[in-house]
Amino acid sequence: MSLVLTGAGYRYPTGARPALDGVDLRVEPGELVLITGPTGCGKSTLLRLAAGLLQRHGQGTVTGTVRVGGEDPAALGPASRVGVLGFVSQEPGDQLVAATVGDEVAFAMASAGWAPARMDAAVPRLLQTVALDVTEDRDTTALSGGQTQRLVVAAALAAEAGLLLLDEPLAQLDPAGARELLGTLRGLADGGVAVLMVEHRIEACLPFVDRVVQVDAGRVRRDDPVAAWQDEGPAIDAASALGLTLPGRIMIARAGLEETGMEPDGTGHEAVEPNRDPARTTSGTPLLTVQGARYTWPGADRPALDGVDLALRPGERVALLGGNGAGKSTLLRVLAGELEPGGPGAGRTPAVRIVAVPQDPDLALFCETVREELAYGPADARLPRPDVEARVVAAADMLSVSDLLDQAPQALSRGQRLRTAVAAAVACAPDVLLLDEPTSGQDHAQVARMMAGLARGLDGGALVFATHDVDLALRWATRVVVLSAGRVVAAGPPGPTLASLPAESPVVLSPLARWCIRHGRSLSSLDPAAPGGRPLDDDPSPAVP
Amino acid sequence: MDPRARLALLAAAGVLAVTLERPLALGGLTLACALPLLFVGIDRRWLRRGVLAVLAIVWSTSLSQALFYAEQPRVALLQLGPLTLWREGLRYGLAQSLRFVALSLGGLAVAVSTPPERLHAALRALRVPFGLALMASTALRFLPEITRELRTVRRARAARGRPAWQRSPLAWLRLELSLLRPVVARAWRRAHHLAESLDARGFDPVAPRTVRRPLQLGAVDLASVTAAVLLTAPAVAGRLLYVLYTSETWYHPALRPLYGWVRGWL
């Protein structure tokens, strides 16, 4: 089913300028098209417009035309809509309607009036299509992030939709899971479905997509076949100007280096003995130690953590890596003291101030303004007013939220909310700062600036961040800890440790990361998204959703 | 068990809760309502907390009624200086608290053991308006999520500040209220995403939908509902006749054993 946007635009009721303006775009059946661009550039608005959601429910102004299979998606009736297009928004967990996997997939079929027998036949086939290996009666709330993502894709396709619209479908997936889902989407496209996908992880998508559309400030800046991303040219120049992540080979070439040694994913790991003793990599008295930490979630059939040792020392930046369900978030919660580790000899020695920013930063924002949010910790510690103000200014500057101080935190964009939550934590001058997936919903340039601020500003404190982004770990961590099935399988300096991972590890190195490790180069020396370039986050769209 | 049968049993418990007055009978009803909770896999820690909460409700309500009961006649059970514990107040407090607890436990048992969409289908089958049925089942589905989020907000606040108890009651109250802000904002965003998801998947409150697993009343359902009706109907009839008698509206000498039974057992 083809999608055609002609001069399409949208202005939110409170928007000073259109979030989307004069967009011309065509996606044909069998095509998998990637839309990318800086945070707040209008990508999600474009998808909602293509789905007809803004026309039906938005209170803003729509311009231009949208046609799906020649019809206006906003005018389609409920029963026919599901057979035409499937839509998956940014938060997969929020889209679940039913209690069981089978009923979730069948929801759109019921809307289309399918008979029960037809639904029963289609549900297992769809689960197989998206490689979701769970029983139909599995509780939807018991799925991992990756499984939930697959489920919402299956649910969107349920009534044989010919157009699939996906907003950041890889956000919660580890590299291996992302590759699997992209393979599934490629398969769907090859089967005749038109797929339009918004994503920040460009390099991961390139092997699978047909075209890459770059959007900035509500307009389509470039629409190139994927071949245009193989070498230097206008597509790469535009992406570079927008602060997007460039393919590894381009970054290496731009640094004036040879690109030898860049093998495809999953090959070329060098046999480097990892430093499995974290204590050997740093010095100083540990700020926080966990020993033999073991934790099993209620109802789980295996421990989420199984005998983990970790010591954090001043000045360290530790990246926790691992596939979905490896135990990263559980370890963070044990470090934060939220979960009591069990097991023989298990213990946790805290003598320091630990502040954790939850995976959903919204849940750390409870004050009326950003200024109050940042001042809460220092003021509650009864610091003198000038000291509180100094902390607020320093944290706001470090996380680039100085311009937002008088705004309501919950009214900010997703990236701004995350930075505000981190700034509020930093303002408390923690000895240990814990971040869970700090890249979620942020573009490459924003993440780079946030991490640069933290690396600069955590005065003698330790930073621990859980992430799927190996490049982020390689660039910003002083040590990586790789978890698998609740155990530490590798730990030590990022380069040698990551190079030693077996090929079947869910922690997959990007070609650029592998090249940097092999040639002993710093990733930051190749990264164009250096702080001080493009201004941070001028998001024109409203914060919700 | 068919969700319609569960709702019917809950309705019967509701009728019995207002029909019964004797603390012993209401205690039996409370146990009957609590029994299913033992079989729905509630975490033992939560069960222990629940039992403590029930005891606290019953104890505090009974004590306050025993102390402040003002109706006549009343019999003093215990005199502690200026304070008197009244027997009728104690009974009244016990009855009121057990009614509340029985219905709460019954509702909880239905809520935790019935998938939201099955509950929705049952409400629709019972002719509840679609919007109301959807609201009820959706609220039920997200209640645990909202509780979890509130805990996360509390943890995030605690990590950045002093313990809540180290402030004045007013400051504590203001802080507690402020913690609702992110939870409400998150619920609003979730509702937005859910609405989009429903819309994109062809959901329309007034459009017909097929049902993948149609509701089906089995033998166990029918037997349970029949037993509930056989238990509830005589109790309601007996109570009605007793009320007619005590209000001097209607009396029949042949029913004197029944009046005695209602007074003594119900």
Side-chain angles (χ1 to χ4, degrees), chain B residues 123 128-137:
Chain B
L123 291 170
V128 173
F130 196 99
L132 202 60
L134 183 68
M135 273 195 286
S137 54

Side-chain angles (χ1 to χ4, degrees), chain A residues 236-249:
Chain A
I236 297 294
D237 290 342
S240 182
L242 294 178
L244 306 179
T245 320
L246 301 182
R249 65 178 67 249

Side-chain angles (χ1 to χ4, degrees), chain B residues 109-177:
Chain B
V110 171
V112 299
S113 66
T114 312
E117 78 278 6
R118 302 294 286 169
L119 182 66
H120 180 257
L123 291 170
R124 289 291 294 142
L126 295 170
R127 309 279 178 199
V128 173
F130 196 99
L132 202 60
L134 183 68
M135 273 195 286
S137 54
T138 307
L140 194 62
R141 178 170 142 57
F142 286 112
L143 212 52
E145 187 69 9
I146 289 169
T147 310
R148 187 190 61 76
E149 286 172 356
L150 193 56
R151 280 202 299 273
T152 306
V153 176
R154 280 178 187 282
R155 279 200 302 267
R157 189 217 60 76
R160 280 164 49 196
R162 288 175 288 143
W165 54 266
Q166 283 186 8
R167 38 195 106 219
S168 72
L170 189 63
W172 173 80
L173 186 65
R174 282 182 57 192
L175 186 61
E176 286 296 312
L177 289 174

Side-chain angles (χ1 to χ4, degrees), chain A residues 129-145:
Chain A
T129 302
V130 298
L132 181 55
D133 187 20
V134 297
T135 56
E136 285 184 38
D137 59 356
R138 180 78 178 270
D139 187 342
T140 51
T141 58
L143 300 179
S144 70

